[in-house]
Amino acid sequence: MKSEHNDLIVIGAGSAARDAANKAAKEYGARVALIERERWGGSCPNVACTPTKAYLVAAGLAHEINTLANELGIEVGTATSNLAKVRARKETLKKPQPKWVEDLQTAGFDTYEGTASFVGPHTIRVGDAELTADKILIATGSRTAVPPIEGIEEIDWLDHVSALEIEELPESLLIVGAGAVGLELGQAFSRFGSKVTIVDALDEIAPHTDHHAAMELREALTDEGMPIILGSFVTTVAARNGRHVATVVPREGGMEQEVEFDRLLLASGRRPNIEELNLEAVGVDTYKLGIVVDERMRTNVPGIWAAGDVNGQALFTPVAQYQARIAVEDMYQPGEGPTADYSVLPTAIFTDPELAGVGLTQMEAEEQGFDAETVVHPLKYVRRASYIDATHGLYKIVFDRTSRRVLGLHVVAPGASDIVQGLSIAMRLGVTVDELAKAHHVFPTFGEGVKAAAEQARITVPA
């Protein structure tokens, strides 16, 4: 058996893995080995962030042609979507797998393709190779969780990966899950021409976002013709007359209903990729969402860290990269590097309108003991909204009544992600609603709604 020693072994080749490898090599001169069993580059550039947004752009263009062009005096025919061509363009945006490997090797990393498994706290087996290192980072990511639906094994279901591979538009699409994946792909396929229905067990879409903002987005999507059934489970799926039918049962009891569909998309959760790592051989602690880590991404076993989706803390690409950098700092400067801080973490769902937020929701602020106050400014009163006939959207500021410090910002609007990203730095620096109200802003932009909300805070809740 081939035996190799490295300073650092990284299991995975996604966003967290590559950031860790680059930092360790460039800043600490480490010899790094990367192990990948499925997809070099990870999910984000191959099957998630990049390709999904390509679909959203195509669907958005078709929607604007069909709903807005005539209103603006642009004379065009009805836009129809060719899913095969949309997929083909999406493929051109991806780096080929051999190129990923070539680039990683050019950067000086040893690459191993196969399934990694622990044989000791400092030893990994992959194929016919046995690798050793004093430091090991687990960054194996996550995959689609399959809910306990009777008959699901008989259905050729889709997830966010396979949904971007089909070339024939389904007449109807049932989506289980109203989080970011379900909402983004649901709106895209609806705008391409599928009849989309979304079912979720929770009482509102977009969990972990502000309830008021989520409700505003839901109303925009339903007004666009996409039914969303909340507080309900899909309990069974079965074939019927060449199609399929799902039984949808309310969570709190009540009348069940049937929904017919051609294709089923699962988007109700993720599972960490840990089963094949043989973690029990070295005693790494796990829990339902993944590997247990502390604020420096350390596991309970010295010399082993875990970053990204696999630790289940916050499943976002920038967070995976952030955690990887924290882990490497701790590897080479034990106890001296930064600890993870998610208090000012901007997030976004790239629907139309977008839903983006940073900081605390009103409920979270109250639960943490703040004397919280909120102000809301509707999107329809922002001048630029009239240019595109936008009626759904809002700007919500959560702030502390005493200090006036902004605790949270939640936006439903075109470009909400950019608005929130820009103001997240101000929040980290302790900006107050009064400072936002006094700030200059570019006119006309969708961002002016934040200033308007801040000005409202000065009027309704004087210092």
Side-chain angles (χ1 to χ4, degrees):
M1 179 173 288
K2 178 182 178 182
S3 180
E4 295 286 348
H5 182 76
N6 293 270
D7 300 310
L8 169 63
I9 297 172
V10 181
I11 307 175
S15 299
R18 288 180 284 113
D19 262 42
N22 282 322
K23 183 177 179 66
K26 292 178 180 178
E27 297 184 21
Y28 298 101
R31 179 185 176 187
V32 182
L34 287 164
I35 305 172
E36 176 57 46
R37 70 181 179 90
E38 181 180 15
R39 190 178 293 119
W40 293 99
S43 291
C44 188
N46 288 300
V47 296
C49 319
T50 299
T52 300
K53 303 312 172 280
Y55 271 49
L56 291 174
V57 169
L61 178 58
H63 180 73
E64 289 188 354
I65 290 172
N66 291 331
T67 61
L68 193 59
N70 190 58
E71 292 292 322
L72 299 182
I74 307 299
E75 297 181 354
V76 293
T78 301
T80 59
S81 300
N82 184 320
L83 197 58
K85 289 185 176 180
V86 174
R87 177 185 177 277
R89 181 173 188 279
K90 176 262 296 185
E91 289 296 304
T92 68
L93 303 177
K94 295 162 53 177
K95 183 191 294 189
Q97 287 292 291
K99 180 62 175 171
W100 274 110
V101 176
E102 178 186 338
D103 288 349
L104 291 169
Q105 292 176 346
T106 299
F109 306 129
D110 295 331
T111 60
Y112 296 85
E113 186 165 346
T115 299
S117 62
F118 281 88
V119 295
H122 302 291
T123 306
I124 300 293
R125 182 171 296 149
V126 53
D128 61 355
E130 192 166 272
L131 312 181
T132 59
D134 294 331
K135 305 172 180 65
I136 297 175
L137 175 68
I138 304 171
T140 48
S142 64
R143 65 187 186 279
T144 299
V146 181
I149 300 173
E150 183 180 345
I152 189 69
E153 66 280 355
E154 305 298 327
I155 299 292
D156 184 21
W157 50 266
L158 303 168
D159 65 2
H160 74 285
V161 179
S162 54
L164 302 184
E165 296 301 316
I166 61 174
E167 296 189 348
E168 184 175 337
L169 188 69
E171 181 179 334
S172 58
L173 177 66
L174 175 62
I175 299 178
V176 180
V181 173
L183 296 174
E184 290 179 4
L185 289 179
Q187 186 177 46
F189 275 87
S190 177
R191 288 179 165 187
F192 285 148
S194 293
K195 179 182 178 182
V196 175
T197 302
I198 297 180
V199 179
D200 197 285
L202 300 180
D203 293 327
E204 190 51 89
I205 67 171
H208 312 304
T209 66
D210 180 81
H211 186 85
H212 191 177
M215 182 174 64
E216 186 74 11
L217 175 58
R218 172 170 53 82
E219 291 177 352
L221 296 175
T222 54
D223 281 359
E224 197 173 294
M226 195 163 64
I228 300 175
I229 304 171
L230 295 172
S232 301
F233 294 101
V234 174
T235 58
T236 64
V237 290
R240 179 189 293 175
N241 300 327
R243 302 184 71 200
H244 300 91
V245 63
T247 302
V248 180
V249 178
R251 187 186 68 229
E252 303 296 337
M255 186 72 69
E256 65 181 42
Q257 61 180 301
E258 291 187 340
V259 177
E260 288 192 344
F261 64 93
D262 293 303
R263 298 303 302 264
L264 175 69
L265 172 63
L266 299 182
S268 58
R270 307 288 297 170
R271 288 191 62 182
N273 294 322
I274 59 175
E275 292 86 354
E276 298 178 319
L277 292 172
N278 195 29
L279 296 176
E280 59 274 12
V282 289
V284 171
D285 288 342
T286 63
Y287 69 125
K288 180 180 179 180
L289 299 180
I291 295 173
V292 178
V293 297
D294 67 7
E295 69 278 4
R296 287 189 169 91
M297 306 307 124
R298 301 167 180 162
T299 70
N300 63 302
V301 178
I304 302 176
W305 292 256
D309 285 11
V310 76
N311 66 34
Q313 294 192 343
L315 278 60
F316 304 105
T317 295
V319 172
Q321 296 166 324
Y322 169 66
Q323 291 179 347
R325 294 190 293 270
I326 286 176
V328 172
E329 286 286 341
D330 188 60
M331 292 175 190
Y332 291 94
Q333 300 184 59
E336 298 180 10
T339 58
D341 176 10
Y342 309 111
S343 60
V344 184
L345 173 63
T347 63
I349 297 176
F350 292 93
T351 46
D352 176 23
E354 294 177 357
L355 188 164
V358 61
L360 302 179
T361 65
Q362 181 177 353
M363 183 179 298
E364 289 169 341
E366 292 170 351
E367 290 174 348
Q368 292 187 24
F370 289 100
D371 183 12
E373 183 67 37
T374 65
V375 285
V376 178
H377 186 75
L379 173 71
K380 63 183 178 181
Y381 295 133
V382 173
R383 178 65 60 87
R384 193 167 178 180
S386 65
Y387 306 161
I388 58 172
D389 291 345
T391 57
H392 289 287
L394 58 79
Y395 304 80
K396 183 174 183 178
I397 301 175
V398 182
F399 63 98
D400 180 63
R401 186 187 291 267
T402 303
S403 68
R404 313 284 288 169
R405 183 168 65 89
V406 176
L407 303 174
L409 175 64
H410 309 280
V411 179
V412 180
S417 56
D418 294 325
I419 296 168
V420 165
Q421 174 64 56
L423 290 173
S424 66
I425 302 300
M427 279 188 56
R428 185 171 290 280
L429 296 175
V431 70
T432 66
V433 283
D434 304 300
E435 289 169 332
L436 285 182
K438 295 175 183 177
H440 297 292
H441 68 282
V442 177
F443 179 85
T445 67
F446 286 109
E448 70 186 78
V450 175
K451 180 178 174 66
E455 290 173 341
Q456 182 180 336
R458 296 184 69 195
I459 295 171
T460 59
V461 190

